[in-house]
Amino acid sequence: MENDITGNETLKIPFGDLRRQYLKIKEEIDNAIQGVLASGWFILGKELEGFEREFAQYCDSTYGIGVGSGTEALHLALRACGVKEGDEVITVPNTAVPTVCAIVSALAKAVFIDVDPSTYTMDPQKLHDYLKNNYNKRLKAVVPVHLYGHPADMSPILEICETYGLKVVEDACQAHGALYKGQKVGSMGNVGCFSFYPTKNLGAYGDAGMIVTKDIAVAQKLLQLRNYGEKKKYYNISEGFNSRLDELQAAVLRIKLSYLTQWNNIRRDIAATYGKLLEGASVVCPVEKDYDRHVYHLYVIKTPNRDKLREGLDRKGIGTSIHYPLPIHLQPAYRHLGYAIGSLPIAERLSGEILSLPIYPELCEDEIQYVCNSIHQLYQKAKSLKKFLDKK
Ligand SMILES: *Cc1c(COP(=O)(O)O)cnc(C)c1O
């Protein structure tokens, strides 16, 4: 506890704190890292093989192919699904920019479909309408994003893609372990792509990613693409890349995978507590459809007074973030794609109203309460100020 300038007590609650998790599992992690160092083997070894097998199984998929990052998982997955120079790939504008970087790396052009106003994920009706009016032979794949840990509405998306012969590359980088109608994200499309960026629900101590698939031909293609295009050593049957998940990261991730179910459950408990304690505040909490199991990579509330609320929370020592403040179609880098302001209105409106609150398994009850009390206080202050001004 500290005192702020008005004499009120404040807690310091960072938006994220990876040290808290490390300290809880320090001994296991340190041993795993020591084991790799002592083995003298750092690239494409038994830790990666083990992790690929275990993570594919966790995802109810068949093959896991470890790569250098989530971006590379998406990039190589698109190539393995046959995306070529000049093709078009459909995704959403309110995602982490790497979704689009990956499309660019695959030499394709991104096409954006607006999102559902309640789940913030791809609106299948809009995908349907777009394809009905604009289908062309360059369109090859759709990348639905399981944003914040909430699954995209896969049944209609898969059906539409089947009709038009489009591959489905799931961006599950924020949703390790989430369920859609009982199915694990990443197991429904042609491929599922994951990031193990340190802050993700399953995070490495550096960059790492994985593709899971049930398609053996796609899996074999990916094994070549990530390793210089080699089918066997020094024999290159395709052009390739260097994108591998190294042994140190794989060893760390194997330890952490054994905690993932527990950690996701705690995230869900925290989300439930937030939902309860924020009742009556002028904010919209995340929705969870009855057929979804959200894993709350992020806890994103919505309010028209977002910037004021964020400033107020900052003064109270509470770290927040915005995912994401400017939709990709309006970023300077992607203006050439030709989307005007107002062309994707839901995503654009969301970007001005969303706010991510701290959520991680090590967040304590006191801290959650403090965040929620602070939000209530800030709204009450705003209300009484408005009353006061209205009277004048
Ligand atoms: C994190 C993330 C990525 C990229 O992952 P990196 O490992 O950082 O390359 C892609 N898509 C989404 C939605 C993400 O959140």
Side-chain angles (χ1 to χ4, degrees):
M1 287 274 175
E2 288 168 29
N3 283 3
D4 68 12
I5 44 171
T6 59
N8 290 329
E9 283 184 318
T10 56
L11 275 175
K12 267 249 167 292
I13 306 177
F15 180 69
D17 183 358
L18 295 173
R19 287 165 310 177
R20 293 191 192 187
Q21 186 197 58
Y22 169 61
L23 292 175
K24 285 199 168 165
I25 54 173
K26 182 175 185 312
E27 206 179 309
E28 277 180 283
I29 293 286
D30 292 357
N31 284 339
I33 289 176
Q34 276 304 321
V36 174
L37 294 180
S39 79
W41 193 274
F42 299 101
I43 302 283
L44 299 181
K46 71 178 191 355
E47 293 293 342
L48 178 61
E49 270 175 34
F51 180 56
E52 287 175 333
R53 194 172 55 242
E54 289 152 12
F55 191 72
Q57 190 176 11
Y58 176 85
C59 294
D60 296 334
S61 192
T62 315
Y63 307 102
I65 300 93
V67 294
S69 68
T71 312
E72 279 301 286
L74 290 158
H75 161 215
L76 299 182
L78 288 167
R79 287 187 181 255
C81 284
V83 171
K84 292 197 169 58
E85 185 164 4
D87 285 344
E88 294 180 4
V89 174
I90 292 174
T91 191
V92 289
N94 59 331
T95 178
V97 77
T99 312
V100 179
C101 295
I103 295 171
V104 174
S105 291
L107 310 178
K109 184 179 141 196
V111 174
F112 298 110
I113 298 291
D114 210 354
V115 292
D116 178 279
S118 68
T119 64
Y120 313 165
T121 61
M122 185 179 283
D123 185 334
Q125 185 61 46
K126 290 188 183 132
L127 175 64
H128 175 267
D129 294 345
Y130 180 82
L131 289 168
K132 210 171 131 197
N133 299 319
N134 303 283
Y135 176 78
N136 72 74
K137 286 213 157 67
R138 289 183 306 272
L139 280 163
K140 292 289 159 55
V142 174
V143 183
V145 179
H146 305 303
L147 194 71
Y148 311 150
H150 185 291
D153 192 1
M154 291 303 288
S155 299
I157 291 173
L158 289 166
E159 201 175 302
I160 294 163
C161 289
E162 167 118 42
T163 306
Y164 285 92
L166 301 175
K167 295 286 202 283
V168 178
V169 175
E170 291 178 66
D171 183 339
C173 291
Q174 300 189 354
H176 319 68
L179 295 174
Y180 174 83
K181 299 183 180 172
Q183 290 175 280
K184 283 268 169 63
V185 300
S187 72
M188 295 171 276
N190 297 86
V191 291
C193 299
F194 292 86
S195 164
F196 306 114
Y197 183 82
T199 58
K200 303 284 157 111
N201 287 29
L202 179 59
Y205 293 135
D207 276 314
M210 194 178 290
I211 304 115
V212 299
T213 181
K214 295 172 182 164
D215 184 332
I216 189 168
V218 168
Q220 280 168 346
K221 181 83 193 154
L222 283 165
L223 290 175
Q224 291 159 21
L225 284 174
R226 76 164 176 195
N227 196 36
Y228 319 129
E230 288 185 352
K231 180 156 185 160
K232 56 183 197 219
K233 206 156 177 63
Y234 309 134
Y235 182 69
N236 308 91
I237 69 161
S238 64
E239 293 176 316
F241 302 87
N242 172 359
S243 181
R244 300 170 301 218
L245 198 171
D246 68 68
E247 290 289 284
L248 281 168
Q249 299 304 341
V252 165
L253 287 163
R254 289 180 87 177
I255 303 289
K256 290 200 184 189
L257 179 59
S258 66
Y259 291 96
L260 182 56
T261 302
Q262 181 191 332
W263 286 339
N264 279 345
N265 287 339
I266 300 173
R267 284 176 183 270
R268 289 177 54 78
D269 290 344
I270 295 172
T273 308
Y274 267 136
K276 240 189 336 232
L277 297 181
L278 288 175
E279 266 174 33
S282 313
V283 301
V284 178
C285 292
V287 300
E288 185 172 344
K289 295 267 154 98
D290 52 9
Y291 52 76
D292 284 332
R293 189 177 163 83
H294 194 321
V295 291
Y296 294 98
H297 170 57
L298 296 169
Y299 190 87
V300 178
I301 60 172
K302 196 175 71 160
T303 168
N305 309 312
R306 191 266 313 277
D307 293 334
K308 281 241 163 59
L309 179 62
R310 189 172 192 211
E311 281 164 32
L313 291 173
D314 183 55
R315 280 196 305 275
K316 287 172 178 292
I318 299 167
T320 59
S321 192
I322 300 171
H323 300 90
Y324 298 89
L326 186 62
I328 294 172
H329 66 289
L330 301 180
Q331 294 282 356
Y334 298 101
R335 295 255 171 84
H336 65 276
L337 294 173
Y339 289 85
I341 293 179
S343 57
L344 299 161
I346 310 287
E348 289 171 31
R349 197 171 66 234
L350 285 173
S351 66
E353 299 187 341
I354 48 177
L355 185 67
S356 307
L357 302 180
I359 188 163
Y360 33 94
E362 301 77 25
L363 199 65
C364 2
E365 191 79 25
D366 288 357
E367 294 177 309
I368 304 167
Q369 266 173 19
Y370 178 73
V371 173
C372 295
N373 289 343
S374 301
I375 292 174
H376 282 291
Q377 270 173 20
L378 288 164
Y379 276 105
Q380 255 139 32
K381 252 192 213 156
K383 252 192 225 155
S384 36
L385 181 66
K386 185 167 183 304
K387 253 191 209 152
F388 173 75
L389 292 173
D390 285 351
K391 266 192 210 147
K392 275 194 148 181

